[in-house]
Amino acid sequence: MNIVITILLTILVFGLIIFIHELGHFIMAKVNGVKVREFALGMGPTLFRFGKGETRYALRLFPIGGFVSMEGEDEESADERAFHRKPVWRRILIVIAGAVMNIVLGFVIMTIVVGMQTNIATMEVSKFREFATSNQAGGLQAGDVIQKIDGLRIWCDTDFFYALERGKTGGEKGKTTLDGQEVDTLTRSYDIQVKRDGKKVLLEDVKITVTSNTVDLLVKGESKNVFTVLREAGNKTVSTARMVWLSLGDLLRGSAGLKDLSGPVGVAQVVGQASGMGLQSFLTLVAFITINVGIFNVLPLPALDGGRLVFLIIEGIRRKPVPAKYEGYVHAAGFILLMLLMIVVTFSDVFKLFH
């Protein structure tokens, strides 16, 4: 895809996600009677601004974020509608509203994606491919409903493929013929819990063989209706949110590293690839990004909504706020560290483009 179109599409995607996030803060602030001074998309110099009522609306030069500036958010204010004068529970609602809106957007997009599918994949095994190893003695059988893989609960096909990818390292490489072409295969062993004849059965060391885009078993499909579409969209949303949490855990444990992170350059590259694969793939990626943004923002890190949430929880426990200047110092330091991380990840993205 043309690089200019890719960049514009990436800006559009992030613009939508940031707008929805800040809209969550804005709406919840208004609902709770907090005075909003400015609603801005982007950071840096202002491109244009207009006012309506007590709030200024602005578009800024760099499309890397946004903010909702509230009266009394970072300083003392005599205004009765100041943020800091509201009860802690109301401020908590305002702080988490952005992340909630991101996840709601993810659910809406997932609903559209599921609605575009011919049918909905269940986790009931229907049959096996010719090169299958998962149906060997002691393995899977037709009619088994897959419930867990290596202890990970499986709600939908997103969980299934994530569990296979995240599973035990190593594996046996080989080759097979698929659709008249020779392709590479990888066979790994997994512990799988299934529902068989109404009972839970644990199958140990089941060997599953995969190719670059195929797994050695097929599952039954389910017809679509309003209930099944909403249920599947909900499952995929929860699955994606859990995937983000587990991936963050992998980073902390050291089982994932800098090469597994992507910044704006890496995301733009993936957006271009997904858009070239069709609308369904593109929307799935957008849903993943917005849910990712929602989950990341509630992490208890300075400069993020989660960092502010920590201070509000401390205030609720102590019955007394942490002095604003000290909280400001913490958030400023966190912002600097996040910017440094973004720079490092961006350089890593650029390096990967040429290697």
Side-chain angles (χ1 to χ4, degrees):
M1 172 175 284
N2 186 290
I3 189 170
V4 175
I5 296 177
T6 297
I7 291 172
L8 291 176
L9 198 56
T10 303
I11 292 173
L12 180 63
V13 168
F14 276 104
L16 171 65
I17 292 171
I18 293 167
F19 172 75
I20 291 295
H21 181 92
E22 299 304 334
L23 183 64
H25 293 311
F26 177 81
I27 291 174
M28 193 56 68
K30 290 289 189 180
V31 167
N32 285 280
V34 174
K35 181 179 179 180
V36 178
R37 295 184 300 200
E38 184 172 354
F39 182 115
L41 291 180
M43 307 293 282
T46 301
L47 294 178
F48 69 86
R49 175 188 292 168
F50 68 94
K52 185 176 182 181
E54 64 186 14
T55 305
R56 298 189 307 271
Y57 301 88
L59 180 65
R60 295 179 177 247
L61 180 60
F62 304 114
I64 57 172
F67 62 88
V68 170
S69 175
M70 295 173 281
E71 180 74 25
E73 183 179 8
D74 299 309
E75 73 287 326
E76 293 292 325
S77 173
D79 195 321
E80 289 298 320
R81 296 175 61 206
F83 177 80
H84 71 86
R85 291 183 175 273
K86 298 298 178 180
V88 170
W89 68 269
R90 288 186 181 275
R91 283 180 276 159
I92 288 176
L93 290 178
I94 295 169
V95 166
I96 66 173
V100 171
M101 284 289 280
N102 281 134
I103 294 172
V104 169
L105 175 62
F107 171 74
V108 171
I109 295 174
M110 284 294 189
T111 302
I112 296 171
V113 170
V114 175
M116 294 170 66
Q117 298 173 354
T118 305
N119 55 30
I120 297 171
T122 69
M123 284 296 101
E124 181 178 348
V125 179
S126 61
K127 58 183 179 179
F128 300 90
R129 300 185 187 276
E130 292 183 3
F131 62 90
T133 54
S134 57
N135 59 344
Q136 292 178 353
L140 293 168
Q141 298 177 8
D144 286 346
V145 178
I146 299 173
Q147 297 181 321
K148 292 182 180 180
I149 297 179
D150 287 342
L152 183 72
R153 186 72 172 89
I154 306 299
W155 288 305
C156 60
D157 57 349
T158 304
D159 294 318
F160 177 75
F161 290 110
Y162 177 66
L164 295 188
E165 182 64 29
R166 190 171 181 262
K168 301 171 183 176
T169 58
E172 181 181 343
K173 295 182 179 179
K175 292 186 179 293
T176 189
T177 301
L178 188 64
D179 297 328
Q181 294 184 333
E182 188 176 69
V183 295
D184 295 326
T185 63
L186 179 65
T187 302
R188 289 175 172 170
S189 295
Y190 304 87
D191 295 334
I192 302 178
Q193 177 183 300
V194 301
K195 186 174 183 180
R196 180 181 292 174
D197 299 327
K199 299 179 181 179
K200 293 180 181 178
V201 179
L202 179 62
L203 309 174
E204 297 182 340
D205 292 325
V206 177
K207 298 182 183 299
I208 298 181
T209 298
V210 299
T211 69
S212 59
N213 56 9
T214 308
V215 67
D216 73 2
L217 59 89
L218 298 172
V219 297
K220 289 186 177 180
E222 181 180 28
S223 60
K224 294 188 302 182
N225 55 51
V226 173
F227 172 75
T228 57
V229 168
L230 292 177
R231 184 199 64 202
E232 183 72 0
N235 286 341
K236 286 182 176 292
T237 302
V238 172
S239 171
T240 302
R242 181 179 63 173
M243 188 189 309
V244 174
W245 275 112
L246 291 174
S247 298
L248 290 169
D250 291 340
L251 282 171
L252 293 175
R253 287 191 299 270
S255 53
L258 183 63
K259 62 181 177 59
D260 300 302
L261 292 176
S262 287
V265 175
V267 173
Q269 185 180 21
V270 175
V271 167
Q273 293 171 349
S275 59
M277 295 170 64
L279 182 59
Q280 189 171 322
S281 295
F282 175 71
L283 290 177
T284 301
L285 177 63
V286 175
F288 173 79
I289 294 173
T290 186
I291 294 170
N292 198 319
V293 168
I295 296 297
F296 185 76
N297 260 278
V298 294
L299 292 178
L301 299 175
L304 298 179
D305 292 338
R308 188 174 290 274
L309 181 61
V310 168
F311 281 100
L312 288 173
I313 292 172
I314 292 173
E315 179 181 343
I317 295 172
R318 296 174 69 234
R319 305 288 182 181
K320 184 172 65 174
V322 175
K325 67 176 182 178
Y326 296 127
E327 182 178 349
Y329 293 154
V330 172
H331 289 313
F335 180 77
I336 292 171
L337 290 174
L338 284 174
M339 289 300 100
L340 289 174
L341 177 61
M342 180 176 290
I343 292 170
V344 171
V345 172
T346 300
F347 273 107
S348 175
D349 286 342
V350 174
F351 179 81
K352 285 185 284 189
L353 284 176
F354 297 98
H355 291 82

